[in-house]
Amino acid sequence: MDDSQWLGPRGLGEPCGRAVLKAQPEDFRVTEILDIELSGQGEHLWLLIEKRDLNTEEVARQLARAAGIKLRDVSYAGIKDRRAITSQWFSLQLPGKADPDLSALWDDNLRCLASQRHSRKLQRGAHRANRFVIRLSSLQAEQESLDARLQCIATTGVPNYFGPQRFGRDGGNIDQARHWAERGGLPPARGTRSRLLSTARSLVFNRVLAQRVEKGNWNHLVEGDCLAFTDSRSHFSAQRLAADDRRLDELDVHPTGPLWGQGELPTAQTAQMLEQAVAASEPVLCHWLESAGLEQQRRILRLPISGLTWHYPSPDCLEIEFTLPTGCFATAVLRELLVLADEPGGGLESET
Protein backbone atom coordinates (compact mmCIF):
# COMPACT_ATOMS: atom_id res chain seq x y z
CA MET A 1 0.00 0.00 0.00
CA ASP A 2 1.94 3.07 -1.24
CA ASP A 3 0.21 6.05 0.33
CA SER A 4 3.17 8.44 0.45
CA GLN A 5 1.86 10.42 -2.53
CA TRP A 6 -1.32 11.45 -0.70
CA LEU A 7 -0.18 11.29 2.91
CA GLY A 8 2.94 12.93 4.25
CA PRO A 9 5.81 11.59 6.35
CA ARG A 10 5.15 9.44 9.38
CA GLY A 11 5.14 11.19 12.73
CA LEU A 12 6.62 8.46 14.92
CA GLY A 13 9.52 7.17 12.86
CA GLU A 14 10.09 4.29 10.48
CA PRO A 15 7.62 1.37 10.52
CA CYS A 16 8.45 -1.57 12.78
CA GLY A 17 8.01 -4.17 10.05
CA ARG A 18 5.49 -5.50 7.56
CA ALA A 19 2.14 -7.26 7.57
CA VAL A 20 -0.88 -8.04 5.38
CA LEU A 21 -4.08 -6.08 5.87
CA LYS A 22 -7.43 -7.73 5.12
CA ALA A 23 -6.39 -11.21 4.12
CA GLN A 24 -10.11 -11.86 4.62
CA PRO A 25 -13.05 -9.57 5.46
CA GLU A 26 -13.12 -10.87 9.05
CA ASP A 27 -9.71 -9.26 9.61
CA PHE A 28 -11.21 -5.75 9.56
CA ARG A 29 -14.24 -5.03 11.77
CA VAL A 30 -15.82 -1.63 12.30
CA THR A 31 -18.72 -0.72 14.56
CA GLU A 32 -20.39 2.69 14.59
CA ILE A 33 -20.92 4.20 18.03
CA LEU A 34 -24.17 6.16 17.99
CA ASP A 35 -25.16 8.40 20.91
CA ILE A 36 -28.68 9.21 19.72
CA GLU A 37 -31.72 8.14 21.71
CA LEU A 38 -34.30 6.88 19.23
CA SER A 39 -37.89 7.88 20.00
CA GLY A 40 -39.59 4.70 18.77
CA GLN A 41 -41.97 6.65 16.54
CA GLY A 42 -41.84 8.81 13.43
CA GLU A 43 -41.61 8.43 9.66
CA HIS A 44 -37.99 7.26 9.63
CA LEU A 45 -37.05 3.62 10.17
CA TRP A 46 -33.52 3.31 11.57
CA LEU A 47 -31.69 0.02 10.97
CA LEU A 48 -28.43 -1.21 12.46
CA ILE A 49 -27.03 -3.44 9.73
CA GLU A 50 -24.03 -5.74 9.71
CA LYS A 51 -22.56 -6.19 6.25
CA ARG A 52 -19.73 -8.40 5.02
CA ASP A 53 -17.72 -7.71 1.85
CA LEU A 54 -20.29 -5.16 0.64
CA ASN A 55 -19.94 -1.43 0.16
CA THR A 56 -22.24 1.06 1.80
CA GLU A 57 -23.75 2.44 -1.39
CA GLU A 58 -24.74 -1.02 -2.62
CA VAL A 59 -26.48 -1.77 0.68
CA ALA A 60 -28.35 1.54 0.39
CA ARG A 61 -29.50 0.59 -3.12
CA GLN A 62 -30.68 -2.83 -1.93
CA LEU A 63 -32.63 -1.24 0.93
CA ALA A 64 -34.28 1.26 -1.43
CA ARG A 65 -35.36 -1.46 -3.85
CA ALA A 66 -36.67 -3.77 -1.14
CA ALA A 67 -38.57 -0.95 0.60
CA GLY A 68 -39.96 0.46 -2.66
CA ILE A 69 -38.55 3.95 -2.05
CA LYS A 70 -36.14 6.25 -3.88
CA LEU A 71 -32.42 5.99 -3.14
CA ARG A 72 -32.42 9.57 -1.84
CA ASP A 73 -34.78 8.44 0.94
CA VAL A 74 -32.10 6.09 2.32
CA SER A 75 -29.55 7.75 4.61
CA TYR A 76 -26.45 6.53 6.40
CA ALA A 77 -24.02 8.11 8.86
CA GLY A 78 -20.76 7.06 7.23
CA ILE A 79 -19.21 5.20 4.32
CA LYS A 80 -17.61 1.96 5.44
CA ASP A 81 -15.03 -0.27 3.80
CA ARG A 82 -16.22 -3.03 1.51
CA ARG A 83 -13.71 -5.74 2.38
CA ALA A 84 -14.63 -5.82 6.05
CA ILE A 85 -17.36 -6.73 8.49
CA THR A 86 -19.03 -3.49 9.52
CA SER A 87 -21.99 -2.59 11.72
CA GLN A 88 -23.53 0.70 10.67
CA TRP A 89 -26.78 2.62 10.81
CA PHE A 90 -29.15 3.37 7.94
CA SER A 91 -32.49 5.19 7.95
CA LEU A 92 -35.42 4.83 5.54
CA GLN A 93 -37.92 7.66 5.11
CA LEU A 94 -41.39 6.07 5.11
CA PRO A 95 -44.04 8.78 5.57
CA GLY A 96 -47.41 7.17 6.21
CA LYS A 97 -46.02 3.70 5.46
CA ALA A 98 -45.66 0.59 7.59
CA ASP A 99 -42.29 -1.04 8.13
CA PRO A 100 -41.36 -2.82 4.89
CA ASP A 101 -40.60 -6.53 4.75
CA LEU A 102 -36.85 -6.65 4.21
CA SER A 103 -36.40 -10.32 5.09
CA ALA A 104 -35.42 -11.28 1.53
CA LEU A 105 -32.25 -9.19 1.89
CA TRP A 106 -30.79 -10.97 4.87
CA ASP A 107 -28.16 -13.65 4.31
CA ASP A 108 -24.63 -14.52 5.44
CA ASN A 109 -23.30 -11.20 4.14
CA LEU A 110 -26.09 -8.88 5.28
CA ARG A 111 -28.22 -8.92 8.39
CA CYS A 112 -30.22 -6.52 10.55
CA LEU A 113 -29.11 -6.26 14.18
CA ALA A 114 -31.71 -3.72 15.37
CA SER A 115 -34.51 -1.51 14.04
CA GLN A 116 -36.51 1.36 15.49
CA ARG A 117 -38.58 4.30 14.33
CA HIS A 118 -37.45 7.88 14.83
CA SER A 119 -38.75 11.36 14.00
CA ARG A 120 -35.67 12.45 12.04
CA LYS A 121 -33.55 10.96 9.31
CA LEU A 122 -29.99 9.86 9.94
CA GLN A 123 -27.53 12.62 9.06
CA ARG A 124 -24.06 12.04 7.63
CA GLY A 125 -21.51 12.02 10.43
CA ALA A 126 -24.18 11.64 13.13
CA HIS A 127 -22.34 8.78 14.86
CA ARG A 128 -19.88 9.79 17.58
CA ALA A 129 -17.06 7.37 16.79
CA ASN A 130 -16.01 4.10 15.15
CA ARG A 131 -14.64 1.09 17.01
CA PHE A 132 -12.11 -1.00 15.07
CA VAL A 133 -10.92 -4.57 15.55
CA ILE A 134 -8.15 -5.24 13.03
CA ARG A 135 -6.13 -8.40 12.52
CA LEU A 136 -2.80 -8.05 10.68
CA SER A 137 -1.47 -11.32 9.26
CA SER A 138 1.86 -12.51 7.79
CA LEU A 139 3.51 -10.32 10.41
CA GLN A 140 7.24 -9.67 10.03
CA ALA A 141 8.28 -7.59 13.03
CA GLU A 142 9.74 -7.94 16.51
CA GLN A 143 7.08 -7.94 19.20
CA GLU A 144 9.23 -5.79 21.48
CA SER A 145 9.42 -3.04 18.85
CA LEU A 146 5.70 -3.31 18.09
CA ASP A 147 4.77 -3.11 21.77
CA ALA A 148 6.90 0.01 22.23
CA ARG A 149 5.42 1.69 19.15
CA LEU A 150 1.85 0.84 20.16
CA GLN A 151 2.46 2.29 23.61
CA CYS A 152 3.82 5.42 21.95
CA ILE A 153 0.72 5.65 19.74
CA ALA A 154 -1.52 5.33 22.81
CA THR A 155 0.41 8.08 24.60
CA THR A 156 1.05 10.62 21.83
CA GLY A 157 -1.57 9.99 19.15
CA VAL A 158 -0.73 10.06 15.42
CA PRO A 159 -0.87 12.62 12.60
CA ASN A 160 -4.53 12.91 11.58
CA TYR A 161 -4.08 12.38 7.84
CA PHE A 162 -7.02 11.75 5.57
CA GLY A 163 -6.54 8.16 4.42
CA PRO A 164 -5.54 7.17 0.87
CA GLN A 165 -9.06 5.88 0.20
CA ARG A 166 -10.24 9.52 0.21
CA PHE A 167 -8.20 10.08 -2.96
CA GLY A 168 -9.47 7.09 -4.93
CA ARG A 169 -7.68 4.24 -6.58
CA ASP A 170 -4.37 5.52 -8.03
CA GLY A 171 -5.44 9.06 -7.09
CA GLY A 172 -8.41 9.02 -9.45
CA ASN A 173 -10.46 11.39 -7.29
CA ILE A 174 -7.64 13.95 -7.35
CA ASP A 175 -7.44 13.75 -11.14
CA GLN A 176 -11.19 14.32 -11.42
CA ALA A 177 -11.11 17.21 -8.95
CA ARG A 178 -8.32 18.92 -10.90
CA HIS A 179 -10.26 18.43 -14.13
CA TRP A 180 -13.33 20.22 -12.75
CA ALA A 181 -11.27 22.87 -10.97
CA GLU A 182 -9.39 23.76 -14.16
CA ARG A 183 -12.73 24.11 -15.98
CA GLY A 184 -14.11 26.23 -13.16
CA GLY A 185 -17.24 24.07 -12.92
CA LEU A 186 -18.89 21.57 -10.61
CA PRO A 187 -20.10 18.04 -11.33
CA PRO A 188 -23.91 18.03 -11.73
CA ALA A 189 -24.38 14.88 -9.63
CA ARG A 190 -24.55 15.80 -5.94
CA GLY A 191 -22.68 12.71 -4.77
CA THR A 192 -19.82 13.23 -7.22
CA ARG A 193 -19.67 16.92 -6.40
CA SER A 194 -19.41 16.23 -2.68
CA ARG A 195 -16.79 13.53 -3.17
CA LEU A 196 -14.50 15.65 -5.33
CA LEU A 197 -14.76 18.77 -3.18
CA SER A 198 -13.94 16.66 -0.12
CA THR A 199 -10.98 15.18 -1.99
CA ALA A 200 -9.56 18.61 -2.82
CA ARG A 201 -9.99 19.81 0.76
CA SER A 202 -8.35 16.66 2.07
CA LEU A 203 -5.33 17.09 -0.17
CA VAL A 204 -4.72 20.65 1.03
CA PHE A 205 -5.15 19.60 4.66
CA ASN A 206 -2.76 16.64 4.29
CA ARG A 207 -0.13 18.90 2.76
CA VAL A 208 -0.37 21.33 5.66
CA LEU A 209 -0.10 18.43 8.10
CA ALA A 210 2.85 16.96 6.17
CA GLN A 211 4.68 20.28 6.54
CA ARG A 212 4.01 20.28 10.28
CA VAL A 213 5.24 16.67 10.58
CA GLU A 214 8.42 17.51 8.68
CA LYS A 215 9.05 20.43 11.04
CA GLY A 216 8.30 18.27 14.07
CA ASN A 217 5.47 20.47 15.36
CA TRP A 218 2.33 18.55 14.35
CA ASN A 219 1.60 17.75 17.98
CA HIS A 220 2.56 20.98 19.73
CA LEU A 221 1.95 24.68 19.30
CA VAL A 222 3.46 27.18 16.91
CA GLU A 223 2.80 30.90 16.96
CA GLY A 224 -0.69 31.77 15.76
CA ASP A 225 -2.17 28.29 16.09
CA CYS A 226 -5.89 27.57 16.39
CA LEU A 227 -6.92 24.78 18.73
CA ALA A 228 -9.90 22.44 18.95
CA PHE A 229 -11.16 19.72 21.25
CA THR A 230 -11.17 16.16 19.89
CA ASP A 231 -14.91 15.95 19.16
CA SER A 232 -15.65 19.64 18.55
CA ARG A 233 -16.03 21.52 15.27
CA SER A 234 -15.40 24.87 16.95
CA HIS A 235 -11.92 26.29 17.40
CA PHE A 236 -10.18 28.98 19.40
CA SER A 237 -6.88 30.85 19.46
CA ALA A 238 -3.98 29.20 21.25
CA GLN A 239 -3.48 32.52 23.06
CA ARG A 240 -6.53 31.63 25.16
CA LEU A 241 -4.74 28.58 26.56
CA ALA A 242 -3.21 29.37 29.94
CA ALA A 243 0.44 28.53 30.47
CA ASP A 244 -0.42 25.88 33.07
CA ASP A 245 -3.25 24.30 31.03
CA ARG A 246 -2.51 20.58 30.69
CA ARG A 247 -5.17 19.77 28.11
CA LEU A 248 -2.74 19.92 25.18
CA ASP A 249 -0.39 17.42 26.84
CA GLU A 250 -3.30 15.21 27.87
CA LEU A 251 -4.57 14.94 24.25
CA ASP A 252 -7.83 16.76 24.97
CA VAL A 253 -6.95 19.81 22.84
CA HIS A 254 -5.04 19.81 19.56
CA PRO A 255 -3.57 22.15 16.93
CA THR A 256 -5.72 22.35 13.81
CA GLY A 257 -5.26 22.65 10.06
CA PRO A 258 -7.51 24.13 7.35
CA LEU A 259 -10.39 22.57 5.49
CA TRP A 260 -10.17 25.13 2.73
CA GLY A 261 -12.99 27.45 1.74
CA GLN A 262 -14.15 31.06 1.70
CA GLY A 263 -13.15 33.50 4.42
CA GLU A 264 -10.08 34.50 6.37
CA LEU A 265 -7.82 31.96 8.00
CA PRO A 266 -8.31 32.07 11.78
CA THR A 267 -4.62 31.39 12.33
CA ALA A 268 -1.88 34.03 12.56
CA GLN A 269 1.89 34.39 12.41
CA THR A 270 3.83 31.14 11.81
CA ALA A 271 0.77 28.91 11.49
CA GLN A 272 -0.93 31.18 8.99
CA MET A 273 2.22 31.63 6.88
CA LEU A 274 2.56 27.86 6.52
CA GLU A 275 -1.11 27.42 5.56
CA GLN A 276 -0.98 30.27 3.06
CA ALA A 277 2.15 28.80 1.47
CA VAL A 278 0.46 25.43 0.97
CA ALA A 279 -2.63 27.12 -0.48
CA ALA A 280 -0.40 29.10 -2.85
CA SER A 281 1.01 25.80 -4.13
CA GLU A 282 -2.54 24.69 -5.09
CA PRO A 283 -4.16 27.93 -6.32
CA VAL A 284 -6.59 26.29 -8.76
CA LEU A 285 -7.96 23.80 -6.24
CA CYS A 286 -8.24 26.41 -3.47
CA HIS A 287 -10.02 28.90 -5.73
CA TRP A 288 -12.37 26.10 -6.84
CA LEU A 289 -13.24 25.30 -3.22
CA GLU A 290 -13.93 28.96 -2.50
CA SER A 291 -16.04 29.35 -5.67
CA ALA A 292 -18.10 26.33 -4.63
CA GLY A 293 -19.23 28.28 -1.57
CA LEU A 294 -17.45 26.19 1.07
CA GLU A 295 -16.51 28.07 4.23
CA GLN A 296 -13.19 27.82 6.03
CA GLN A 297 -13.33 25.04 8.63
CA ARG A 298 -10.76 23.34 10.84
CA ARG A 299 -9.66 19.75 11.54
CA ILE A 300 -7.39 18.56 14.33
CA LEU A 301 -3.83 17.77 13.25
CA ARG A 302 -3.29 15.20 15.99
CA LEU A 303 -5.46 12.10 16.29
CA PRO A 304 -5.84 10.66 19.81
CA ILE A 305 -6.41 6.90 20.01
CA SER A 306 -8.97 5.73 22.58
CA GLY A 307 -9.12 2.29 24.17
CA LEU A 308 -6.09 0.90 22.36
CA THR A 309 -5.41 -2.75 23.19
CA TRP A 310 -3.53 -5.48 21.33
CA HIS A 311 -2.48 -9.11 21.46
CA TYR A 312 -0.81 -11.75 19.28
CA PRO A 313 -3.11 -14.68 18.38
CA SER A 314 -0.03 -16.30 16.83
CA PRO A 315 3.62 -15.26 16.33
CA ASP A 316 2.85 -13.98 12.81
CA CYS A 317 -0.42 -12.18 13.65
CA LEU A 318 -1.25 -8.98 15.54
CA GLU A 319 -4.81 -8.04 16.55
CA ILE A 320 -5.47 -4.49 17.69
CA GLU A 321 -8.59 -2.66 18.91
CA PHE A 322 -9.15 1.08 19.16
CA THR A 323 -11.77 3.80 18.81
CA LEU A 324 -11.49 6.86 16.57
CA PRO A 325 -13.64 9.98 16.28
CA THR A 326 -15.98 10.25 13.30
CA GLY A 327 -14.24 11.21 10.08
CA CYS A 328 -10.83 9.85 11.08
CA PHE A 329 -9.02 6.99 9.39
CA ALA A 330 -7.69 3.71 10.76
CA THR A 331 -5.00 3.83 8.09
CA ALA A 332 -3.52 6.88 9.86
CA VAL A 333 -2.92 4.65 12.87
CA LEU A 334 -1.75 1.53 11.04
CA ARG A 335 0.84 3.32 8.88
CA GLU A 336 2.64 4.54 12.03
CA LEU A 337 3.10 0.89 12.99
CA LEU A 338 3.81 -1.24 9.91
CA VAL A 339 4.17 -1.24 6.16
CA LEU A 340 0.95 -2.88 5.00
CA ALA A 341 0.24 -4.97 1.93
CA ASP A 342 -3.30 -5.61 0.69
CA GLU A 343 -4.48 -9.00 -0.39
CA PRO A 344 -5.89 -8.94 -3.98
CA GLY A 345 -9.22 -7.18 -3.86
CA GLY A 346 -8.57 -6.00 -0.32
CA GLY A 347 -7.85 -2.35 -0.94
CA LEU A 348 -9.31 0.39 1.23
CA GLU A 349 -11.62 1.83 -1.38
CA SER A 350 -13.89 3.65 1.02
CA GLU A 351 -13.57 5.59 4.22
CA THR A 352 -14.66 4.87 7.75
Side-chain angles (χ1 to χ4, degrees), residues 1-3 18-24 27-28 81-83 134-138 164-165 168-170 331 334 338-350:
M1 180 191 299
D2 181 12
D3 55 24
R18 308 181 68 86
V20 171
L21 175 66
K22 297 186 176 182
Q24 54 189 355
D27 289 346
F28 198 92
D81 297 89
R82 177 186 64 82
R83 190 169 175 81
I134 299 173
R135 181 169 290 197
L136 302 169
S137 58
S138 302
Q165 55 268 49
R169 190 175 298 278
D170 298 324
T331 45
L334 299 178
L338 295 159
V339 174
L340 299 174
D342 291 334
E343 284 293 293
L348 288 173
E349 78 287 340
S350 61

Side-chain angles (χ1 to χ4, degrees), residues 201-273:
R201 268 186 152 183
S202 301
L203 180 65
V204 174
F205 175 89
N206 274 10
R207 292 198 169 161
V208 169
L209 177 52
Q211 290 284 321
R212 297 280 297 248
V213 172
E214 286 182 359
K215 296 176 184 296
N217 57 29
W218 62 275
N219 56 354
H220 64 261
L221 300 182
V222 301
E223 289 183 329
D225 253 333
C226 268
L227 306 179
F229 291 96
T230 301
D231 296 318
S232 175
R233 295 186 180 181
S234 62
H235 54 81
F236 59 95
S237 170
Q239 292 180 339
R240 293 174 52 192
L241 203 65
D244 61 350
D245 196 321
R246 300 290 301 168
R247 290 178 296 180
L248 189 69
D249 295 333
E250 293 170 354
L251 276 66
D252 290 330
V253 173
H254 317 276
T256 64
L259 297 175
W260 202 265
Q262 296 176 345
E264 297 295 324
L265 284 168
T267 47
Q269 299 168 290
T270 303
Q272 186 179 94
M273 289 175 60

